[in-house]
Amino acid sequence: MMRTHRAFTLVEMIVATVLAALLMGGVLLMTAAIARDRNRVTQAQAGPQRTHSTMEDLFQFDLTNALTMSPAADGKSLVLVGHGGMDAQTLRATGRLTRVTYEVRGRGADSALFRTQEYLDEPARPQAWTELVGDGVMAFGVTPESGDFEAVKKGSQSDEDEEVPGKVNAVSRRAKLETFTMPSRVRLRVQRTVGGLEREMWLR
């Protein structure tokens, strides 16, 4: 008596293939999520060791997308207004009108550089958020290297906006800062407790 061997039908093969594809997609998504979370945790834990290149890239992005800058004479803060907004979750550029404030907080070995951004194109929802740029930063400066910049008149920024409660400290002092249009070339200097950074940047 001959034995018959039942083979898989075409429908069963298609179902198995679809299930395998779904399973593989789920594994890939989980792997990507784990890698992203690990990267965020690593960056958070490695705050003091954040590389100069990362700090430089962040400054380069914000300065390139800024329309005006207001540096503090004491090297403790810098206010940029332009289209350098980033999404807080993905860190992708949004292109929205944004105020970015760099501010040194703390003293000596406990000092650190922070970046705060808030949207200006939707006053009711500024979506302000702050991130640590680097530990051990005592002071920094951004000075024009080219002559193609102009001073912005004080009346160009509203007094109401300067007095809005809840703004970050550096922003609340904006009235004391002199504002300039962005030059095509600047020099970035960062003074740290260990080492330092100086770099010429072309913005356009």
Side-chain angles (χ1 to χ4, degrees), residues 20-149:
L22 291 175
L23 180 61
M24 183 63 69
V27 171
L28 292 176
L29 286 175
M30 184 178 297
T31 303
I34 292 175
R36 184 174 59 251
D37 291 342
R38 180 189 301 172
N39 186 41
R40 286 182 179 274
V41 171
T42 301
Q43 289 184 353
Q45 293 177 342
Q49 291 78 32
R50 187 165 186 173
T51 61
H52 280 171
S53 61
T54 304
M55 186 185 299
E56 291 177 29
D57 292 341
L58 190 57
F59 268 110
Q60 182 81 57
F61 173 82
D62 286 328
L63 292 169
T64 301
N65 288 281
L67 301 175
T68 63
M69 68 175 184
S70 304
D74 60 0
K76 298 293 185 179
S77 67
L78 170 69
V79 179
L80 303 171
V81 175
H83 298 278
M86 293 190 300
D87 184 88
Q89 300 299 323
T90 64
L91 300 183
R92 293 181 179 178
T94 63
R96 296 176 57 181
L97 183 62
T98 307
R99 178 188 296 119
V100 174
T101 302
Y102 284 90
E103 183 179 19
V104 175
R105 303 177 186 176
R107 296 181 179 179
D110 296 328
S111 61
L113 179 62
F114 291 85
R115 176 189 184 274
T116 299
Q117 80 161 41
E118 53 188 338
Y119 292 126
L120 300 178
D121 54 5
E122 193 174 355
R125 298 180 65 249
Q127 302 179 42
W129 61 282
T130 302
E131 69 167 330
L132 173 66
V133 177
D135 281 346
V137 177
M138 304 173 65
F140 70 99
V142 177
T143 55
E145 287 285 289
S146 57
D148 53 344
F149 66 95

Side-chain angles (χ1 to χ4, degrees), residues 52 55-56 188-192 195-199:
H52 280 171
M55 186 185 299
E56 291 177 29
L188 170 66
R189 295 183 177 88
V190 179
Q191 180 183 354
R192 312 189 71 169
L197 167 66
E198 182 172 348
R199 179 185 170 188

